[in-house]
């Protein structure tokens, strides 16, 4: 008989996990997927493209209803899991129904952090995490409206770009002295700022939000230096926090995320966690590749491959703003003892920085020409020796391959 397996969360990690599991051990488990959002799982990474109206919501659906049906998955979307009774091995749903399990996979993702400031509850103050948020933002941001985005990281910049493209007057406020400081060095950040300003987006660095002001709805963002920036809509994109409540209430060990080992097991036997809700070796990842890596390893293990282990992921970031190409991966700042190779051509707005340690590529930042980003990422991930191509590396893959031929 099939073992009952309940996946909680119907996001990107869950969909990939079911795909990987069903390709390896179809029929071994009776899989039920519980998802709070009232729709099929979709590609969250493309929400910015939906906001920019480059694609529609139906274009980003990951798997059709038929796909799930053909794999025998019971898909319960629009339903919230409210508890896990570990002593009787049942998952409780908000409807009052319960689901039996021998294994649970927590894939509950993250939620946006809201600032603990006056005015955050005002109508017109929104976050950017799911399709519901995109609908709300679109409804509030007609062309010509003044939008303030708080947060100059990947999400904030993509939201700002999407809204500017739709005709809004966008100001991005960022607390730090450079944009995307966790992914870019000073030089690439400065180029990015210029690229976004050329698209009509106003960027304010070192801008600390003090309060949101308004009567019936938000009207302005007040900064710590007392300046006020008028706004019809405020999008808060300052970061995310792992969605751990369900795990915590079940008694699973939780730190910043749900703590997992290299086997993606939690502190309670039979309960696993993958994706943004999981914390592995002290890291909660906020990107999709690690979630996919974890989904694959867990599926392999549950299909009987005891050798499968997750040992962490090398991160890479690609900003999705048309005409502003940015890529970064690995240790792009360069820890002590590393060497850097820089190629910069301000005339064509191109900047490349490669970080090398011990004869290996360990990090890269690209601005402008990002075509070789994935090739550099492969070199970083594979830990391949690069000494033999070191002199040509910064000029890109095609030159290196031509020289080797
Ligand atoms: C606008 C945007 C752009 C992004 N761009 C990139 C990018 O360029 N590159 C990149 O790598 N990553 C990007 N990301 C991040 C990427 O989307 C996430 O890393 C990925 O979605 C994580 O997958 P997940 O399954 O862990 O979480 P999610 O996809 O968030 O799925 C979690 C799901 O669980 C549901 N859930 C939570 N609690 C419960 C419960 N109690 N019961 C039932 N369901 C529940 C949630 O509603 C949600 O649907 C972006 C994210 C956003 C919002």
């Amino acid at each position: 008989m099939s073992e009952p397996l309940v996946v909680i969360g119907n996001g990107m990690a869950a969909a990939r996990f079911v795909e990987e599991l069903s390709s390896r051990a179809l029929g071994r488990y009776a899989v039920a997927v519980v998802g709070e959002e009232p729709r099929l799982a979709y590609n969250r990474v493309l929400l910015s493209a939906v906001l920019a109206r480059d694609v529609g919501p139906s274009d980003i659906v990951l798997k059709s209803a038929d796909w799930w049906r053909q794999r025998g998955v019971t898909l319960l979307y629009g339903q919230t899991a409210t508890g896990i009774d570990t002593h009787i091995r049942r998952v409780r749903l908000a409807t009052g129904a319960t689901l039996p399990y021998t294994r649970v996979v927590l894939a509950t993702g993250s939620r946006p952090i809201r600032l603990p400031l006056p005015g955050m509850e005002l109508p017109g103050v929104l976050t950017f995490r799911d399709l519901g948020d995109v609908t709300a933002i679109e409804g509030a941001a007609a062309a010509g409206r003044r939008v303030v985005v708080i947060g100059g990281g990947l999400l904030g910049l993509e939201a700002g770009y999407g809204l500017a493209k739709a005709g809004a007057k966008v100001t991005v406020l960022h607390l730090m002295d450079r944009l995307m400081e966790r992914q870019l060095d000073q030089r690439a950040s400065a180029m990015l700022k210029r690229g976004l300003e050329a698209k009509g987006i106003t960027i304010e660095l070192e801008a600390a939000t003090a309060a949101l002001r308004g009567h019936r709805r938000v009207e302005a963002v007040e900064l710590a230096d007392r300046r006020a920036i008028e706004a019809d809509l405020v999008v808060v994109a300052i970061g995310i926090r792992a969605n751990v409540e369900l795990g915590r209430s079940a008694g699973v060990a939780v730190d910043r995320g749900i703590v997992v080992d290299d086997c993606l097991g939690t502190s309670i036997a039979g309960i696993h966690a993958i994706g943004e809700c999981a914390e592995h070796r002290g890291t909660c990842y906020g990107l999709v590749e690690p979630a996919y890596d974890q989904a694959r390893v867990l599926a392999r293990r549950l299909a009987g491959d005891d050798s499968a282990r997750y040992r962490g992921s090398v991160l890479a970031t690609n900003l999705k703003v048309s005409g502003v190409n940015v890529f970064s991966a690995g240790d792009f700042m360069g820890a002590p003892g590393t060497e850097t190779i820089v190629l910069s051509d301000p005339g064509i707005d191109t900047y490349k920085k490669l970080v090398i340690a011990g004869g290996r590529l360990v990090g890269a930042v690209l601005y402008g020409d990002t075509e070789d980003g994935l090739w550099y990422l492969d070199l970083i991930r594979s830990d391949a020796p690069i000494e033999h191509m070191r002199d040509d590396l910064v000029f890109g893959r095609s030159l290196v391959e031509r020289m080797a031929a």
Side-chain angles (χ1 to χ4, degrees), residues 1 10 19 47 80 88-89 141 180 190 202 209 218 260-261 278 307 326 336 355 358 384:
M1 220 174 76
N10 185 26
E19 182 177 6
L47 281 180
T80 305
I88 52 168
R89 293 203 161 213
M180 288 181 70
T202 303
T209 304
V218 72
V260 293
D261 55 23
S307 69
V326 182
V355 181

Side-chain angles (χ1 to χ4, degrees), residues 45-55 128 137 141 147-173 179-180 192 195-203 235 237 318-325:
V45 170
L46 292 178
L47 281 180
S48 325
V50 177
L51 195 61
R53 304 199 182 147
D54 292 333
V55 296
F128 183 34
I137 292 171
V147 180
V148 173
V149 177
I150 304 179
L154 179 105
L155 279 197
L157 298 181
E158 290 189 2
Y161 166 69
L163 288 162
K165 191 164 173 267
K169 291 189 185 117
V170 177
T171 302
V172 175
L173 305 179
L179 297 172
M180 288 181 70
L192 172 62
L196 293 168
E197 284 168 344
K199 292 196 173 290
I201 298 172
T202 303
I203 312 265
V235 178
N318 215 335
L319 183 74
K320 300 173 295 298
V321 170
S322 121
V324 180
N325 301 324

Side-chain angles (χ1 to χ4, degrees), residues 30 42 81 117 124 140 160 181 190 214 271 323 331 340 342 369:
Y42 55 88
L117 293 176
E181 74 283 350
I271 301 186
D331 172 18
T340 57
V342 172
D369 175 7

